[in-house]
Amino acid sequence: MTGPGQGFEPATGDGPEPDAGAARAAEVRTAYEGLLQIRRMLNGRAGAAVPAPWELRQMPRAVAIVLEAAGLTPSAADAEGRRTRTGYRVVPREGRVEVTWVGPPGGGAAEAEQEGLTACAAALEPLGWTCLLYRGPRHRRFLEVEPPP
């Protein structure tokens, strides 16, 4: 959410549910179009198909912008950290980003994770991100998102 003097914050899946209104949709669209414009300006012939240097420095933010702009649902958590909605969660890792599909207990996140993470990869790969789907602890899947080689 934005407020006076604050910039746009993409939904990473760890905060409250973002507004579903037209104002939020416009902010997301503007952030995504800005991401693509920066890519075209900085990447020359590679254009929008390669992450820009700022994206590599702020991978969780860049990945979250792409996922939210693609219309994918972010997870959400209340002030105590309890999940209130099922969806993607973007977590920074050393040199990469991990995307998981999480939700409230009994909310069906485990059953929906294959489809949800596949949709996340489908949004990220055309923009040059390398996405690898893994099975982690307790057989839960996660998507490892890395810059192109």
Side-chain angles (χ1 to χ4, degrees), residues 59-81:
M59 281 193 281
R61 181 179 183 81
V63 167
I65 288 171
V66 172
L67 296 179
E68 192 172 358
L72 297 165
T73 302
S75 181
D78 64 17
E80 287 78 40

Side-chain angles (χ1 to χ4, degrees), residues 9-119:
E9 283 300 320
T12 62
D14 276 333
E17 293 185 27
D19 294 334
R24 177 67 182 189
E27 288 178 330
V28 171
R29 189 172 44 257
T30 298
Y32 182 71
E33 290 170 0
L35 178 147
L36 295 179
Q37 183 63 25
I38 290 169
R39 283 177 167 215
R40 285 188 289 270
M41 289 173 31
L42 295 177
N43 292 339
R45 287 188 168 173
V50 177
W54 79 266
E55 291 176 83
L56 303 178
R57 289 189 305 271
Q58 297 184 42
M59 281 193 281
R61 181 179 183 81
V63 167
I65 288 171
V66 172
L67 296 179
E68 192 172 358
L72 297 165
T73 302
S75 181
D78 64 17
E80 287 78 40
R82 291 183 300 250
R83 295 277 149 209
T84 59
R85 181 168 72 178
T86 299
Y88 68 81
R89 179 177 182 230
V90 178
V91 179
R93 298 288 187 234
E94 185 66 34
R96 61 186 169 86
V97 170
E98 188 176 287
V99 179
T100 56
W101 199 261
V102 296
E111 292 80 20
E113 71 185 4
Q114 175 75 38
E115 182 180 340
L117 293 173
T118 299

